[in-house]
Amino acid sequence: MANLVYKRVSTDQQSTARQNLVLDEAGIEDPVVFEEDPGTSSRLHPLQRPKFRALLDYARPDDTVHISEMFRLVRGTGHILDVVDVLHRDRLALRIHDRAFSAMDLTARHPRTGELLSTVKFMVLTLAAGELQRDLQFAS
């Protein structure tokens, strides 16, 4: 079981220093790091980003994908649902190491049925509600 780390910054003026700090504090053993070229747009669907595609190609069932914060991987509800579907299909775990999600695997499955856990579905819906609230604020 490999620990796969994904990093991305939006501009070439940004660095991965904060991501490195969060991921180092997480104590990830023997990480295999996939880092997008600086400036890889968050508007580009995660499944179309070169290094995230490379991570998925490298990954094997029961590997864990680690990210520092949710927005390093996804920006919108559609993207998170797409990514969670792919990770679930490929039997990969997703660990987000910011405070809000650090204890939850957003791809966790029921041990008997193999379906996504209800708590996972709830968290994804909560993220969608947060996105809706943000969109409504900017629309007014």
Side-chain angles (χ1 to χ4, degrees):
M1 297 186 305
N3 288 308
L4 312 176
V5 171
Y6 178 73
K7 299 179 192 178
R8 183 192 62 78
V9 293
S10 298
T11 70
D12 55 1
Q13 285 80 38
Q14 295 175 320
S15 80
T16 58
R18 184 177 185 296
Q19 293 175 67
N20 293 338
L21 179 65
V22 169
L23 294 164
D24 288 347
E25 287 177 355
I28 301 166
E29 292 183 28
D30 302 319
V32 179
V33 178
F34 296 84
E35 186 173 334
E36 296 290 353
D37 291 334
T40 301
S41 174
S42 62
R43 292 190 177 110
L44 184 61
H45 195 291
L47 298 175
Q48 296 174 339
R49 294 183 195 144
K51 296 299 181 175
F52 192 66
R53 286 294 334 154
L55 180 150
L56 292 174
D57 291 341
Y58 180 91
R60 299 295 174 256
D62 299 321
D63 286 354
T64 300
V65 177
H66 298 268
I67 56 175
S68 60
E69 297 109 351
M70 178 70 79
F71 70 89
R72 294 297 171 192
L73 181 58
V74 297
R75 284 287 188 182
T77 307
H79 289 184
I80 190 171
L81 293 172
D82 291 345
V83 168
V84 167
D85 282 346
V86 168
L87 296 176
H88 178 70
R89 179 198 70 206
D90 293 348
R91 302 189 52 77
L92 303 172
L94 174 63
R95 296 280 186 223
I96 303 164
H97 293 282
D98 70 3
R99 288 182 277 280
F101 299 102
S102 62
M104 179 172 273
D105 173 7
L106 290 180
T107 59
R109 296 171 287 278
H110 189 282
R112 195 173 55 251
T113 66
E115 295 296 316
L116 282 176
L117 291 176
S118 296
T119 52
V120 169
K121 293 176 188 176
F122 175 76
M123 287 305 298
V124 171
L125 291 172
T126 301
L127 292 168
E131 179 185 356
L132 173 63
Q133 180 182 13
R134 186 188 72 230
D135 290 349
L136 291 173
Q137 283 177 322
F138 290 123
S140 52

